[in-house]
Amino acid sequence: MTSAGDLLVIRPKRFELPVWAALLWLVLRWSGRVLWWCLRHPVATVSAVLALWLYAEFGWSGLVVPLVVASAASAVWRWRDESSWWAWLAGPLLGSFRRVFVYRRVWREAMTLCGLAETYDHRKVLPELLRVRSDQALDVLTVRMVRGQTPEQFQKASAHLAYAFGRRHARVYAERPDEAPTRTGRGAWLLRLVDRVRYRDRPTVVYLALVRTDALRTVVPPFPVPAVPEFTALPLARREDLRTWSLHLLATHVLVGGATRSGKGSVLWSLVRVLGGGIASGLVRLWVIDPKGGMEFALGRPMFARFACKSFEAMADLLDEAVTVLRERQTRLAGTVRVHTPTEADPLVVVVVDEMAALTAYLQDVDLRKRIASSLGLLLSQGAGVGVLVVAALQDPRKEVLPFRDLFPTRIALGLTEASQVDLVLGDGARNRGALADQMPRWAKGVGYVILDGTPDPMRVRFSYISDDDIRDMARQYPAPVDASDILAQVGRETAPEPVRLPLPRKPSGPLLPDALRNLLDRDGGGDPR
């Protein structure tokens, strides 16, 4: 019996599991895990089973001989086609090794300290490392985000992630950084089906690219000059993965921003070089404005259909005549095509401006500055479709210096002096996505970040270096035709030398002193002596 105040302790009945049942449960549990691992890693599983069978059948020779044959075949494969060797053999093997022994070892610590770990139901939830794909220079990590995370969180932590894994550069891509290859030939339909699965849209996944070996430290030699330029893929620079970055020039304008001695000349001359074949054949007309008195572009004068370097009025005339070409083509092509196709009879006109700020902000003549701004506004807003393109370079990307900055679809940021300038050149949020153009080292001349129209993620590249001797050879081998400047009949004074213009008289300005004080000074200085 119990009475009031007694403590009543109630214990649940204990259920004792037999030892054999516990052991059976552990065996089944671990067997299931091993089976699941084998299903997820079929290559490793098949390789291990094959190695065990060869050892059981032939002993150690059954392992050594296939290994030697496979090594010899791998060496021949790399010698014949290194790109496919990395894509199908070395890259997957190296990526699997680094996934287990490099990234998985510090994954929990890195995700927690970089602020990417979340807490749910009193448990730490981490992003999941799905795959590592390696090549000669990069490790691309495929990461499944925690439910509720966005790629912007990873982009803001890209610098922390780079140093957490012992690297200096890292970028986060919301979509797969490489594009699906073009499949042709026998069996292409099957490969296209595989690519449709591999390159499908995966909103829960981000791609973290870590630069393992900086391939941009070495100077990039000039690219070969094609006989007919491919305007949708002009090779200008080397990417971090050692592939070639090509510029889509057709129907776009290009803005190059960079501080002094950051390599803007490498970008402009690399573009001029790959257009050399089209310049010589008459397929491309270069109209060049060099406000620095010709210090940058005078060496390549024979390649230019128009060239203005001393008179700002001549520069304004050049832009006005480009607008005249634009209007004529609009009238002629309206209702026929929507995008101009360059031909020798109707060439592509590329207006190159070396220092845009000298025309839009630093020019003292207000009327001339307004005239230049009006012509540039028309060219940037209407010229892409009719084949009158603008390629401009500047040092100061502020809005008051370049008010129509947003009219450039293709942008390139070289070394900049301030972090805020990165977003001014490449667009808002570009620096958070990994475009650290304000942290360029001293050796990185010609290294920059590029953003194409419709692609929000930046790409780090190094443009080819064109020496003065290379420019002289280009000017000798690819001069513009004699009639290159005569595009329109009404534009007939383009090849005339720049006129010597007398300076305008200064307008008299009013006195800066009050009338009473000015009269007193006049009386003391010019009156009768006392």
Side-chain angles (χ1 to χ4, degrees):
M1 297 180 59
T2 60
S3 60
D6 291 342
L7 181 61
L8 184 63
V9 179
I10 302 176
R11 293 193 178 100
K13 186 178 180 180
R14 298 179 61 183
F15 176 75
E16 296 184 359
L17 186 67
V19 177
W20 64 268
L23 293 176
L24 180 61
W25 165 249
L26 291 176
V27 170
L28 292 176
R29 180 182 179 183
W30 285 103
S31 298
R33 289 190 176 184
V34 171
L35 179 60
W36 176 244
W37 187 92
C38 293
L39 293 176
R40 291 185 60 186
H41 304 83
V43 177
T45 302
V46 173
S47 301
V49 172
L50 181 61
L52 290 175
W53 178 77
L54 290 174
Y55 178 75
E57 289 291 331
F58 306 101
W60 286 107
S61 60
L63 297 178
V64 173
V65 173
L67 184 61
V68 172
V69 173
S71 300
S74 174
V76 173
W77 187 1
R78 182 178 183 180
W79 173 57
R80 299 292 294 177
D81 191 357
E82 186 175 2
S83 60
S84 63
W85 179 79
W86 272 104
W88 294 101
L89 181 62
L93 291 178
L94 181 60
S96 300
F97 175 83
R98 295 183 62 81
R99 176 176 179 267
V100 175
F101 295 100
V102 176
Y103 297 109
R104 287 290 296 271
R105 186 171 55 86
V106 297
W107 185 255
R108 183 179 185 86
E109 179 184 0
M111 293 296 105
T112 303
L113 297 181
C114 292
L116 296 174
E118 305 290 345
T119 302
Y120 174 73
D121 196 15
H122 305 290
R123 292 187 304 109
K124 189 74 71 174
V125 185
L126 302 176
E128 183 181 358
L129 178 60
L130 300 179
R131 182 171 178 257
V132 177
R133 180 172 53 88
S134 301
D135 56 20
Q136 299 99 311
L138 298 181
D139 286 341
V140 180
L141 283 62
T142 305
V143 182
R144 178 181 287 122
M145 298 179 291
V146 175
R147 190 177 298 274
Q149 286 184 335
T150 61
E152 286 75 12
Q153 294 175 256
F154 283 80
Q155 290 168 351
K156 292 180 180 179
S158 60
H160 302 280
L161 289 170
Y163 285 92
F165 294 116
R167 304 299 170 201
R168 291 192 178 275
H169 304 285
R171 269 171 310 285
V172 176
Y173 299 93
E175 299 179 358
R176 191 176 175 120
D178 52 346
E179 299 179 356
T182 302
R183 304 295 188 181
T184 57
R186 184 178 301 176
W189 63 273
L190 181 59
L191 295 176
R192 283 194 291 266
L193 292 178
V194 175
D195 291 339
R196 185 176 301 177
V197 177
R198 292 177 58 200
Y199 294 88
R200 68 187 185 278
D201 185 23
R202 304 175 69 182
T204 61
V205 168
V206 293
Y207 301 90
L208 174 62
L210 293 165
V211 180
R212 189 178 68 254
T213 301
D214 196 351
L216 304 185
R217 278 188 170 270
T218 58
V219 176
V220 179
F223 291 93
V225 180
V228 179
E230 179 61 45
F231 297 111
T232 58
L234 297 173
L236 298 186
R238 177 192 294 163
R239 293 172 28 167
E240 289 175 325
D241 56 1
L242 296 177
R243 289 188 288 179
T244 300
W245 178 77
S246 300
L247 172 67
H248 189 292
L249 183 62
L250 196 63
T252 190
H253 305 292
V254 183
L255 175 64
V256 183
T260 303
R261 303 186 64 83
S262 61
K264 296 188 294 295
S266 295
V267 182
L268 299 178
W269 280 113
S270 295
L271 177 60
V272 173
R273 178 178 176 84
V274 296
L275 294 175
I279 293 173
S281 65
L283 192 62
V284 181
R285 301 284 192 264
L286 287 185
W287 292 12
V288 178
I289 296 177
D290 188 354
K292 294 185 293 187
M295 291 300 297
E296 181 65 39
F297 283 99
L299 285 176
R301 179 63 182 91
M303 302 180 70
F304 310 145
R306 292 288 316 277
F307 183 62
C309 65
K310 296 179 181 179
S311 170
F312 285 100
E313 291 192 13
M315 300 176 194
D317 293 342
L318 186 150
L319 294 174
D320 290 342
E321 290 159 2
V323 173
T324 304
V325 176
L326 179 149
R327 294 301 190 195
E328 188 275 338
R329 288 186 177 179
Q330 285 179 334
T331 303
R332 176 163 46 86
L333 300 179
T336 305
V337 295
R338 292 188 298 171
V339 178
H340 170 265
T341 301
T343 61
E344 294 183 8
D346 202 13
L348 181 72
V349 178
V350 182
V351 181
V352 180
V353 184
D354 182 31
E355 183 51 59
M356 179 71 81
L359 305 180
T360 60
Y362 307 148
L363 185 59
Q364 296 180 356
D365 191 330
V366 177
D367 296 334
L368 195 60
R369 187 168 68 242
K370 290 181 179 180
R371 177 183 164 194
I372 291 174
S374 176
S375 298
L376 284 173
L378 289 174
L379 293 174
L380 292 172
S381 60
Q382 304 177 24
V386 295
V388 182
L389 311 181
V390 177
V391 178
L394 80 165
Q395 299 181 26
D396 189 353
R398 290 176 299 170
K399 196 73 174 179
E400 54 268 25
V401 175
L402 189 63
F404 25 76
R405 184 180 62 239
D406 296 334
L407 297 179
F408 287 91
T410 303
R411 305 181 187 183
I412 301 171
L414 301 175
L416 297 169
T417 57
E418 300 177 5
S420 60
Q421 293 181 352
V422 180
D423 291 344
L424 292 177
V425 176
L426 299 180
D428 292 340
R431 193 178 187 278
N432 288 335
R433 294 193 295 270
L436 304 179
D438 59 307
Q439 298 182 6
M440 288 290 186
R442 288 178 295 178
W443 57 264
K445 298 185 187 314
V447 178
Y449 295 87
V450 297
I451 284 189
L452 301 180
D453 188 14
T455 304
D457 299 317
M459 180 185 301
R460 183 168 170 261
V461 300
R462 181 163 191 170
F463 292 88
S464 60
Y465 173 70
I466 311 296
S467 65
D468 292 351
D469 293 336
D470 294 330
I471 296 174
R472 294 187 183 95
D473 292 339
M474 287 160 38
R476 184 174 60 256
Q477 296 179 16
Y478 307 104
V482 177
D483 59 344
S485 59
D486 190 16
I487 294 180
L488 290 178
Q490 62 267 35
V491 183
R493 64 172 213 80
E494 296 163 339
T495 56
E498 297 179 2
V500 179
R501 304 180 186 275
L502 298 177
L504 297 177
R506 295 178 59 88
K507 296 181 180 179
S509 58
L512 301 178
L513 299 176
D515 293 340
L517 182 58
R518 186 166 58 87
N519 294 333
L520 179 61
L521 294 175
D522 292 342
R523 185 168 61 251
D524 292 341
D528 295 332
R530 295 181 181 179

